[in-house]
């Protein structure tokens, strides 16, 4: 949870500044103002999820249910971590575009307004369910360069070095531009060029806000190591542009214009590719022209699983998200979570024991499907889950070692959800991995490169940056895609209607956070705002501990879980940044942006207003 935890939040005063951020400030303020006029109702009023069952959160919990801030609309909804990115998506819906058009505009906008995670130098995953019930998932995950080797991050003593985290060798071949291009080819309705317009505008100048400033500031030590990064991100005598001043990204604007005018070709074979390869050669990286021109995003069959009559549609490998969430849900099914009190010791115990078992499998079995055979049918089957459930004892913990199959040797991501008036739903989680990825900026092209290579089992059997202990199946090989936890997910209700679109960043905690959104909705009937605000907990088998958000569980529950043998770790802050959309039976779209990082839900009503 370390990399996913955050306490950074928007302050309204920071949003109310000049040029493009004035738009950002305005949209944030408008959403609040309209809320008080009743056009955007709190989730309970809008029927925002399940039956709106009441829950009590512990004393001291930061985000009480009554303060769940949701936005309702009839004709489209965009929920992202950033109000400018949400505005970019809404601009496409207003222009007559569909949910995929809006999502593509958001992906490019986030690369400019939320560069710690939004990207063109990284990758991600998209899950789509159209209004007509066809589903698809797109893998635009980075892949290992052709010159990568299994031991490229090990020193002479066989210990992992920092090179998979910081610097040019930390990057996989970026997939975001190819992914957006593929998504547009299959589903796009607006011209490609139109989709990049908001991002280009933002690159020409936005107001530096507190969050972006602090994100850059927090990575100063890494960014100063690379001249093009220092020049772009720390231009004010080694400091970021001051909060409230205009932040211009001219190189990024030029890059985006080239992507717009060449349909993305410039990125993989044109001058952007030249700049990227030159950057690699200058600083000791290994990505080549051949790696770039060979890269292609891939359509894959989504993982689908049934849970209590609902259908989960989520991401297959090389994301571990869909399989692991399905396994957790299946293991818990026979316990009837709805009969256990919400966040009671019994509820947390069962969920944690299911997480432990599912992560044990995740770490051992899952990798890139183009390289590895994986028993996906077994892992997502109910009989297999039942056999694992049978070993759960209510009075005591199980041993992590019983479920770890990996032989042991001695953040930043963002999610967004979009639904349009035709019922097309899109969930995208995208990342450069750590904040500002590898900290390397491509000179002259203005974007940061990912540090996704750290998601491989750099040293199988030893923990990565997220503490995940993974096996040979996820070892580095040329051209292979590293295993991810990103879990963009769509939940279909028993009547066959899309009901929830959700996802989050948070490294290894992504899976358990998305699982809890589904359980909050299906098992406990929480409205979507309350489900997002609810405290989260996490277990990933190794390390053998339950992490929970600050003040997120009642003292008595923590004590009871400790008495059953759980190691309980209270976080310093909060975990994840969920952006969800609930579709009510009458078709009302309820967007819920996570208050933990000050996200933004913007809707339009039929006729284009809102
Ligand atoms: O793909 C993954 O699982 C990781 N690269 C995600 C990293 C992440 O969520 C960091 N953000 N908080």
């Amino acid at each position: 949870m370390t990399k996913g935890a955050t306490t950074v939040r928007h302050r309204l005063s920071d949003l109310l500044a000049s040029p493009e951020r004035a738009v950002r400030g305005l949209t944030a303020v408008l959403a609040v103002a309209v809320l008080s006029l009743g056009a955007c109702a709190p989730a309970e009023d809008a029927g925002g999820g399940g039956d709106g069952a009441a829950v009590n959160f512990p004393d001291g919990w930061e985000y009480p249910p009554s303060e769940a801030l949701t936005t309702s609309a009839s004709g489209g909804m965009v929920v992202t971590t950033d109000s400018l990115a949400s505005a970019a998506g809404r601009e496409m819906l207003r222009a007559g575009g569909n949910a995929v058009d809006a999502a593509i505009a958001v992906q490019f906008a986030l690369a400019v307004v939320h560069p710690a995670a939004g990207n063109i130098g990284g990758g991600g995953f998209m899950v789509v369910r159209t209004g007509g019930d066809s589903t698809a998932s797109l893998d635009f995950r980075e892949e290992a360069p052709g010159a990568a080797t299994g031991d490229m991050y090990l020193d002479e003593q066989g210990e992992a070095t920092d090179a998979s985290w910081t610097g040019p060798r930390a990057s996989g071949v970026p997939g975001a531009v190819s992914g957006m291009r593929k998504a547009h080819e299959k589903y796009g309705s607006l011209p490609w060029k139109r989709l990049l317009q908001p991002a280009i505008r933002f690159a020409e100048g936005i107001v530096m806000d507190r969050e972006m400033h602090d994100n850059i500031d927090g990575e100063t030590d890494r960014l100063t190591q690379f001249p093009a990064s220092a020049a772009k991100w720390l231009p004010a005598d080694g400091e970021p542009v001051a909060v409230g001043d205009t932040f211009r990204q001219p190189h990024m604007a030029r890059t985006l214009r080239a992507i717009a005018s060449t349909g993305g070709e410039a990125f993989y074979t044109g001058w952007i590719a030249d700049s990227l390869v030159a950057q690699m050669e200058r600083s000791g990286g290994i990505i080549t022209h051949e790696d770039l021109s060979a890269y292609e995003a891939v359509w894959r069959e989504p993982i689908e699983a049934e849970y209590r009559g609902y259908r989960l549609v989520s991401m297959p490998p090389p994301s571990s998200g869909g399989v692991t969430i399905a396994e957790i849900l299946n293991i818990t099914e026979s316990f009837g979570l709805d009969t256990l009190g919400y966040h009671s010791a019994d509820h947390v115990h069962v969920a944690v024991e299911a997480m432990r078992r599912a992560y044990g499998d995740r770490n051992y079995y899952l990798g890139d499907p183009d390289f590895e055979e994986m028993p996906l049918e077994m892992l997502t089957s109910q009989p297999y889950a039942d056999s694992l459930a049978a070993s759960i004892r209510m009075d005591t913990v199980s041993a992590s070692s019983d479920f770890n199959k990996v032989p042991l040797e001695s953040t930043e991501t963002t999610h967004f959800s979009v639904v349009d008036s035709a019922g097309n739903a899109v969930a995208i989680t995208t990342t450069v991995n750590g904040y500002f990825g590898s900290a390397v900026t491509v000179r002259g092209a203005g974007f940061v490169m990912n540090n996704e290579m750290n998601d491989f089992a750099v040293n199988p059997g030893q923990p990565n940056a997220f503490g995940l202990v993974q096996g040979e199946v996820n070892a580095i090989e040329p051209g292979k895609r590293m295993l991810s936890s990103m879990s963009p997910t769509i939940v279909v209700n028993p009547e066959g209607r899309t009901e929830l679109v959700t996802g989050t960043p948070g490294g290894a905690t992504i899976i358990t956070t998305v699982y809890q959104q589904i359980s909050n909705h299906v098992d406990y009937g929480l409205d979507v705002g309350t489900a997002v605000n609810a405290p989260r907990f996490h277990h990933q088998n190794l390390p053998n501990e339950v992490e929970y958000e600050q003040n997120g569980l009642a003292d008595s529950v923590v004590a009871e879980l400790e008495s059953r043998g759980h190691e309980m770790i209270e976080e310093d802050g909060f975990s994840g940044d969920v952006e969800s959309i609930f579709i009510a039976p009458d078709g009302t779209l309820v967007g819920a942006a996570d208050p933990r990082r000050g996200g933004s839900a913007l809707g339009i009503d039929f006729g284009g207003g809102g």
Side-chain angles (χ1 to χ4, degrees), residues 3-5 125 141 362 411-414 431-435 452 455 466 468 482-486 504-508 510 597:
K3 299 279 172 187
F125 300 106
R141 182 70 161 165
R362 172 205 184 276
T411 102
E412 172 64 4
T413 305
T414 191
T431 192
V432 284
N433 199 22
Y435 272 65
E452 223 70 66
D455 275 351
F466 300 104
L468 288 167
M482 54 298 276
L483 186 64
S484 172
S485 299
M486 292 190 282
T504 184
I510 291 173
R597 299 196 201 177

Side-chain angles (χ1 to χ4, degrees), residues 476-494:
I476 304 173
E477 288 179 62
K480 187 173 172 182
R481 299 184 185 197
M482 54 298 276
L483 186 64
S484 172
S485 299
M486 292 190 282
S487 314
T489 295
I490 293 173
V491 177
V492 181
N493 74 5

Side-chain angles (χ1 to χ4, degrees), residues 13 42 65 113 120 171 214 231 282 307 317 378 415 421 434 462 468 501 507 529 565 580 582:
S13 55
V113 301
I120 54 175
S171 301
D214 289 354
R282 244 192 326 271
Y307 178 69
M378 174 192 92
H415 175 86
S421 58
Q462 295 220 345
L468 288 167
V501 187
S580 290
F582 168 72

Side-chain angles (χ1 to χ4, degrees), residues 27-339:
T27 46
V29 173
L30 276 180
V32 174
V34 177
L35 181 71
S36 65
L37 294 174
C40 303
E44 290 89 337
D45 300 341
D51 55 8
V55 285
N56 291 319
F57 296 155
D59 291 345
W61 174 244
E62 179 93 4
Y63 308 107
S66 55
E67 287 184 17
L69 190 65
T70 57
T71 301
S72 300
S74 59
M77 181 65 66
V78 184
V79 189
T80 84
T81 195
D82 182 283
S83 56
L84 278 182
S86 296
R90 186 175 58 173
E91 186 178 318
M92 297 306 128
L93 295 180
R94 279 191 175 144
N98 60 32
V100 173
D101 293 316
I104 294 169
V106 170
Q107 171 80 30
F108 285 115
L110 283 168
V112 178
V113 301
H114 184 50
N119 64 82
I120 54 175
F125 300 106
M126 169 164 103
V127 173
V128 182
R129 183 172 192 248
T130 65
D133 188 22
S134 74
T135 58
S137 65
L138 181 62
D139 161 9
F140 54 101
R141 182 70 161 165
E142 302 89 329
E143 64 188 31
T149 59
D151 59 359
M152 65 187 281
Y153 301 115
L154 302 184
D155 64 17
E156 280 161 12
Q157 285 71 46
E159 298 294 325
T161 66
D162 184 44
S164 70
W165 191 256
T166 300
R169 283 156 56 85
S171 301
V173 183
V177 176
S178 170
M180 295 307 101
R181 192 65 195 155
K182 282 245 154 151
H184 186 255
E185 277 162 17
K186 188 171 167 94
Y187 292 110
S189 68
L190 292 176
W192 169 255
K193 274 188 182 168
R194 177 73 182 93
L195 308 180
L196 281 104
Q197 279 172 4
I200 293 169
R201 249 181 15 242
F202 300 152
E204 282 162 355
I206 50 174
V207 171
M208 177 63 76
D209 72 358
R210 167 64 55 198
E211 181 163 0
M212 196 201 281
H213 177 279
D214 289 354
N215 284 344
I216 299 171
D217 200 40
E219 298 300 317
T220 302
D221 287 351
R222 296 197 317 132
L223 294 167
T224 41
Q225 292 173 33
F226 308 100
S229 295
K232 169 159 182 175
W233 306 106
L234 303 161
D237 280 337
E239 308 258 324
V241 166
V243 173
D245 285 357
T246 302
F247 180 44
R248 298 182 207 284
Q249 305 180 54
H251 292 165
M252 184 63 167
R254 188 173 55 177
T255 296
L256 291 168
R257 274 192 219 101
I259 293 171
S261 63
T262 63
E265 277 305 296
F267 191 91
Y268 292 99
T269 55
W271 72 260
I272 305 170
D274 293 344
S275 303
L276 201 162
V277 171
Q279 179 69 42
M280 290 288 135
E281 287 170 352
R282 244 192 326 271
S283 53
I286 57 171
I287 296 176
T288 62
H289 276 293
E290 290 69 38
D291 292 330
L292 286 167
S293 58
Y295 184 89
E296 213 177 318
V298 184
W299 290 106
R300 301 193 187 273
E301 277 298 303
I303 291 289
E304 303 214 359
E306 294 290 324
Y307 178 69
R308 301 188 60 193
Y310 286 77
R311 182 152 59 98
L312 167 86
V313 184
S314 191
M315 200 62 214
S319 171
S320 59
V323 174
T324 314
I325 293 170
E327 195 174 330
I328 297 171
L329 289 167
N330 287 342
I331 295 172
T332 61
E333 186 151 5
S334 59
F335 289 86
L337 290 189
D338 53 326
T339 63

